[in-house]
Amino acid sequence: MPLKRIELKAERGQLIYKLRRAGGSELWVNAADGAHFPKGQYERIVRAGADGVPVRTTDWGKILIDLHTGKIGGEAGKAVMTCAAVLLLLLTCSGVYVWLKPLLIRRESRLSRARVGLPAEAV
């Protein structure tokens, strides 16, 4: 894959060259001693351990952003997320309807009894 960007940054007290590919993976190279290691697209480098080896964690924020924007799964991923959103919206609307319908029926019953002049029953 072609290179997308090359940066020189201060990371953890060292100057690090970050070579990023178009796919999102990176190669980190220490500018002082040439030590290097690959960094995956969904990894986060937290700090260097006591032995100098970097500690990697999963970058869940990046995974979720890419999932919601369709970078994971492409067009099929976008279609699945759109269907899930529509279903969630339908479930929400139907839940509000199911909750609200008995309240409106009781209210209408109370109002019609008041119009006729009958005493309102305890609900």
Side-chain angles (χ1 to χ4, degrees):
M1 282 188 184
L3 285 177
K4 182 178 179 181
R5 180 173 60 203
I6 299 174
E7 296 178 309
L8 177 61
K9 294 189 111 180
E11 294 280 339
R12 302 179 328 264
Q14 301 173 349
L15 288 176
I16 303 286
Y17 284 104
K18 294 181 178 183
L19 294 89
R20 181 177 293 215
R21 292 183 179 167
S25 61
E26 292 182 359
L27 178 66
W28 286 23
V29 180
N30 188 324
D33 61 8
H36 60 280
F37 61 92
K39 178 189 160 293
Q41 182 176 0
Y42 298 111
E43 287 182 335
R44 180 181 293 176
I45 307 300
V46 181
R47 65 187 185 289
D51 56 355
V53 177
V55 177
R56 302 165 191 252
T57 61
T58 303
D59 191 356
W60 290 105
K62 173 91 168 115
I63 291 172
L64 292 175
I65 288 171
D66 285 357
L67 179 66
H68 286 284
T69 58
K71 289 183 182 177
I72 295 177
E75 293 300 318
K78 287 180 186 178
V80 168
M81 292 305 290
T82 300
C83 290
V86 168
L87 287 174
L88 186 59
L89 184 62
L90 289 174
L91 279 172
T92 302
C93 291
S94 66
V96 168
Y97 173 77
V98 167
W99 172 76
L100 196 57
K101 184 178 178 183
L103 294 177
L104 293 175
I105 290 173
R106 279 186 246 149
R107 179 176 178 245
E108 183 60 35
S109 175
R110 224 177 311 141
L111 290 175
S112 65
R113 286 181 165 277
R115 273 187 239 130
V116 176
L118 298 174
E121 293 178 358
V123 179

